Amino acid sequence: MTEFLQQVINSLSLGSIYALIALGYTMVYGIIKLINFAHGEVYMVGAYVGYASMSFLKLGFFESLILAMIVCTVLGVVIERVAYRPLRNSTRIAALITAIGVSLLLQYTMMFFVGPDPRAYPPMPSFMNGSIDVGGVIIKNQQILIIGVSVFLMIVLQFIVKKTKMGKAMRAVSQDPDAARLMGISVDRTISFTFAIGSALAGAAGVLVGVYYNSIKPLMGIAVGLKAFIAAVFGGIGIIPGALIGGYVIGGSETLVSSLGYSMFKDGVVFAILILILIVKPAGLLGKNRKEKV
């Protein structure tokens, strides 16, 4: 039982990070039906901004987290404005290829400046290095911090989407952009705001991963980005609660496989989950199948 609870804590830590990234995928898809494959690289940039702010600017964890979210917010808005907005009325395949191109551009631009080698995050403050023992279950302070920060950001996101004017605009644009425009909603500004929020969450996830694994590299966004995308598909892409559920399911699956001694197969299990969900319920756990007129 103790071992099971220990793995639950580990699953919550990892799942929280996947959920933060998956939210960016699902919000962008929900509003413009685009799979933003560059989202994983925004998360990577967030990790490096956190590293630079801690190493060179000597900022603390929370200041670095906020700075990474701000930088990634600006980056997400610039990507949307420069790369995606001109293709708004193009085919989906054109936008998808552009997303892959932006992803590669960010990867190799970062590699040009920082090199391909992994870097270790600077030592964390003393309050993040301890742990508590609850009936034999060891909970690290870092895990508490990761889960706490992630849950706080998810609550803020829910508040924005459900209670604010911009959140109502986001929901309206996701339902019917043309009707929303006729009602006086600025569709372009709403889409930019969606990219901004999703990118800010990805930036936060990047810093949390750097703290958790103590290692970052320019290509770190590929695998994690794909897994977060799978989490979004699992829950029903375009559905915010689905992304949260998917993130925790994927994180839990990875942790379970690793705890059984098959860590080499954890990536394979995640992609097997994707294949299974596409066969059994293509719209995802919370999605509804819709018939398309031909």
Side-chain angles (χ1 to χ4, degrees):
M1 188 62 183
T2 302
E3 180 63 25
F4 172 75
L5 293 175
Q6 185 68 63
Q7 298 309 326
V8 169
I9 297 297
N10 296 339
S11 300
L12 289 175
S13 305
L14 186 58
S16 297
I17 294 169
Y18 284 146
L20 283 180
I21 306 172
L23 283 169
Y25 277 109
T26 209
M27 285 195 299
V28 168
Y29 184 85
I31 206 160
I32 59 172
K33 301 295 179 287
L34 167 69
I35 299 174
N36 181 19
F37 278 117
H39 192 61
E41 276 53 57
V42 176
Y43 142 84
M44 175 269 294
V45 171
Y48 272 95
V49 172
Y51 169 83
S53 59
M54 291 181 194
S55 300
F56 305 122
L57 303 179
K58 305 299 180 185
L59 298 179
F61 168 76
F62 289 106
E63 294 89 343
S64 302
L65 184 74
I66 293 171
L67 182 60
M69 292 177 70
I70 293 172
V71 171
C72 288
T73 297
V74 174
L75 178 62
V77 172
V78 169
I79 290 173
E80 188 276 331
R81 183 67 184 84
V82 174
Y84 299 146
R85 189 177 296 184
L87 299 174
R88 190 75 54 77
N89 298 319
S90 301
T91 59
R92 288 190 186 183
I93 190 66
L96 186 65
I97 292 171
T98 302
I100 295 172
V102 173
S103 171
L104 293 171
L105 175 66
L106 291 175
Q107 287 172 16
Y108 287 94
T109 300
M110 183 60 77
M111 201 178 297
F112 175 79
F113 285 107
V114 303
D117 298 328
R119 296 186 181 221
Y121 247 52
M124 292 295 114
S126 57
F127 74 91
M128 293 177 64
N129 293 326
S131 62
I132 57 175
D133 188 336
V134 183
V137 179
I138 307 299
I139 307 175
K140 298 178 182 177
N141 291 355
Q142 287 183 2
Q143 292 177 312
I144 297 173
L145 196 66
I146 288 170
I147 296 170
V149 169
S150 301
V151 171
F152 172 75
L153 292 175
M154 291 173 200
I155 292 172
V156 171
L157 175 64
Q158 281 295 310
F159 177 80
I160 292 173
V161 172
K162 298 290 185 184
K163 301 294 183 183
T164 66
K165 189 176 179 180
M166 185 55 78
K168 292 177 183 175
M170 289 168 63
R171 285 184 282 156
V173 173
S174 69
Q175 291 284 326
D176 191 331
D178 294 330
R181 187 178 287 108
L182 290 174
M183 296 299 291
I185 294 173
S186 172
V187 174
D188 287 340
R189 191 174 63 178
T190 305
I191 292 173
S192 293
F193 185 77
T194 304
F195 271 84
I197 291 185
S199 300
L201 295 178
V207 177
L208 295 177
V209 162
V211 170
Y212 193 50
Y213 289 112
N214 195 31
S215 177
I216 58 174
K217 57 185 178 181
L219 301 183
M220 63 186 283
I222 300 174
V224 175
L226 284 175
K227 291 176 185 175
F229 171 68
I230 292 171
V233 173
F234 180 89
I237 193 162
I239 303 171
I240 289 178
L244 299 179
I245 295 172
Y248 285 109
V249 169
I250 297 300
S253 303
E254 263 200 47
T255 305
L256 176 64
V257 173
S258 299
S259 67
L260 294 175
Y262 299 102
S263 57
M264 289 186 63
F265 297 100
K266 64 180 183 180
D267 293 344
V269 169
V270 172
F271 287 101
I273 291 174
L274 174 64
I275 295 170
L276 188 65
I277 194 69
L278 289 177
I279 293 173
V280 176
K281 200 168 188 306
L285 194 64
L286 302 184
K288 295 179 180 178
N289 292 323
R290 294 178 181 174
K291 294 181 180 178
E292 293 188 2
K293 294 180 180 179
V294 179

